Every structure is written in structure tokens, then in C-alpha cells.
Amino acid sequence: MNIDMSGRTVLVTGSTSGIGQAIATAFARAGADVVVNGRSRQRVDDTVEAIREETGGTVRGAAADVSTSEGADSLIDQVPDADVLVNNAGIFSAAPVFEIPDAEWSRFFEVNVLSGVRLARHYTPRMVRRGWGRVIFISSESSIFIPTEMVHYGMTKTAQLSVARGMAQEVAATGVTVNSVLPGPTLTPGVEEFIRDRIGPDVPFHEAERRFIAEERPSSLLGRLIRPEEVANLALYTGSDAGAATSGAALRVDGGVAPALA
Ligand code: NAD
């Protein structure tokens, strides 16, 4: 399958590291005009440079904190229009469910859910008017397989599925699709640190990875962490012409961790 994104502007939130950076890189390699977003101007500039060097593509940056309405407005000022919106920015942390205060529930909702809702509210109607567009929410297998140690995170990831499905219904038959992509445990810098902490800093990482999956994610059918590029492959397909018949879906790239049939 040849995916050609030339002529399309693709905005990926939280793309200065991890999965977001891999998605921005994949779209740049496919010929899209890519916008990298993160909170720090310096990290945005560095990432733009790195992706340009790696792909030779057209990449620019827009620094903004997407977790606030002011930040969303600032991003929209810098990037008034997009053909593909990837709502990737997100946070996670472990906490016992009965000890999570109100403010933390609200913060997780603001960063992981409302950020994407605000941006979709701006960009999607414009896509509909042009008759083509793609909105992708980067959710998680934690949306359907709630982690006991991160219920507040799971709550936000489930909410993204509802939002994406509802928006897809709203834009039915317009040429615009809205989907969620559900990665499983993926080797990003944050996850690497988390595993090193849990398994022990002296264990070689490939052994720590094997033990983490075997002991803490035993339902994985992959037997290793997913690579960010593997998540990016599904996001790229979903954001392309080839993905036109996929809308309102929750698409798993979780290595089979979630023991679900569909
Ligand atoms: P990461 O921490 O490596 O990257 C997150 C990015 O978002 C960073 O660039 C960060 O600067 C940015 N960001 C965070 N808050 C922001 C804000 N308010 N405004 C703008 N940018 C902001 O994370 P990751 O592991 O690559 O995760 C990316 C997405 O994938 C998240 O939504 C996460 O829930 C989801 N996910 C990750 C995994 C995994 O195992 N890594 C698994 C399932 C789902």
C-alpha cells in the first residue's frame, strides 16, 4: 500500500517525544506538511529539526499547552486549519483509586480528554466543509482493560472512545472520519524509566522488558513492548485516503494485551 499524504496538513499534539513524535515522523515521511506541538518552544524546535533531518519532509512547530483553553486558542492561532488532527498529548501516573483527589481527576480529564475535544471542535467542522478530514484520538488499551493502579487514567481513555464515536456519528457521510487508536505498552522514554524503576536499574533493559511483560502484562500476545513506530503505522493508515472506510472505530495496536474479541 502506497500512502501519499502530500498536500495534507497534519497536526500532532504532544509530538516532542514518544508516540507523538513517531506519528509526526511517519506523516512527514509520507509527504504531509506536519506540525509538531509541545509545551516547550526549545523541545518543539529540536524535534522539528530532528524530523526534518530524518525524513527531509516539511515540518514546522507550534508551542502551546493543549490542556488549557488559552493554550488551545494559542495553538489554533498558530495553526488555523488542519486536514488531520491527531490528539496524542496525554499524561499517566499510578495512584490508589481511593486516594486520588478531585483536582487530580479534573487534571487528567483536562489534559487527556478536553484538550482533544476543544481542538476537534475547531478543526472538524472545517474538514467537513472541505469534504475531507481525519481526527484521531490516541487512547489506550487501558480504555477497555482498566488498570487498577491508574483508574483515573483509564477513565480518560474510555472517555476518548465515547467522544470519538459520537463525533464520527455527527460527521457521518461527509468524507471526514473520527477514530480512536489504542496502543498497548509502548517503549517510550517514560515507559522505559517506569520499567527500570520497577524491575531494577542494574538489569539489562532487554531482560527488564521481558520480565515486565511476563510478570505485569502476561496477556500480551506479542511478548515485548510495542515500538512507537508500530503505533504510528496504524495512525498513518487511519489518517490517509486508504482509511476512508474506517470511522467511529476503536483500533487496537496493543500486542493483544486486552483480552477482547473485537
Ligand atoms: P510521552 O510522555 O512520551 O509524550 C507525551 C507528549 O505529550 C510529550 O511530548 C509531552 O511534552 C506532551 N504533552 C503532555 N502534556 C501536554 C500538554 N498539556 N500540552 C502539549 N503537550 C503535552 O507519552 P507517550 O507514552 O508517547 O504517550 C502519548 C499518548 O499515547 C498518550 O495519550 C498516552 O496516553 C498514549 N499511550 C501511551 C502508551 C505507552 O505505553 N507509552 C500506551 C497507551 C497509550
Side-chain angles (χ1 to χ4, degrees):
M1 189 187 314
N2 181 26
I3 292 183
D4 180 5
M5 295 297 302
S6 3
R8 307 282 192 207
T9 299
V10 180
L11 169 60
V12 187
T13 66
S15 45
T16 57
S17 87
I19 291 171
Q21 182 167 352
I23 293 173
T25 303
F27 276 105
R29 196 172 280 123
D33 295 339
V34 171
V35 185
V36 167
N37 158 259
R39 284 157 298 179
S40 142
R41 160 60 52 200
Q42 188 58 53
R43 287 195 65 182
V44 167
D45 289 347
D46 292 348
T47 309
V48 165
E49 210 38 56
I51 299 178
R52 266 194 207 136
E53 236 171 66
E54 191 179 336
T55 65
T58 312
V59 190
R60 67 192 147 112
D65 178 346
V66 297
S67 70
T68 66
S69 98
E70 298 74 33
D73 288 347
S74 157
L75 182 57
I76 288 165
D77 280 346
Q78 297 174 69
V79 187
D81 219 338
D83 300 299
V84 180
L85 168 66
V86 183
N87 287 313
N88 167 78
I91 51 170
F92 68 95
S93 70
V97 64
F98 296 121
E99 293 173 21
I100 302 169
D102 288 6
E104 199 60 352
W105 285 99
S106 298
R107 186 171 78 92
F108 266 73
F109 185 77
E110 289 269 344
V111 180
N112 289 0
V113 184
L114 212 42
S115 59
V117 170
R118 289 192 184 108
L119 296 177
R121 195 163 55 203
H122 172 80
Y123 293 110
T124 317
R126 287 163 175 76
M127 296 175 192
V128 169
R129 286 202 280 280
R130 286 193 302 277
W132 197 95
R134 303 281 183 265
V135 180
I136 302 169
F137 287 81
I138 304 300
S139 173
S140 167
E141 41 79 25
S142 299
S143 62
I144 53 175
F145 194 34
I146 307 300
T148 311
E149 75 285 8
M150 296 198 288
V151 176
H152 55 339
Y153 174 74
M155 172 276 293
T156 64
K157 294 288 143 180
T158 311
Q160 286 180 307
L161 305 190
S162 299
V163 168
R165 175 69 204 183
M167 287 182 177
Q169 291 171 192
E170 181 65 25
V171 301
T174 62
V176 178
T177 68
V178 188
N179 290 287
S180 308
V181 165
L182 281 55
T186 304
L187 181 52
T188 56
V191 167
E192 182 173 342
E193 199 184 311
F194 179 78
I195 291 175
R196 283 193 195 283
D197 279 356
R198 252 174 133 78
I199 308 288
D202 299 332
V203 181
F205 188 72
H206 69 273
E207 174 57 17
E209 175 181 3
R210 195 197 59 75
R211 275 173 48 189
F212 173 78
I213 293 291
E215 291 163 19
E216 305 204 21
R217 297 292 185 274
S219 59
S220 170
L221 305 178
L222 188 63
R224 60 166 172 80
L225 293 167
I226 297 149
R227 287 349 189 211
E229 298 71 27
E230 293 171 319
V231 178
N233 288 339
L234 183 56
L236 176 61
Y237 166 78
T238 310
S240 72
D241 279 324
T246 300
S247 194
L251 305 166
R252 291 164 50 198
V253 53
D254 67 347
V257 163
L261 291 180

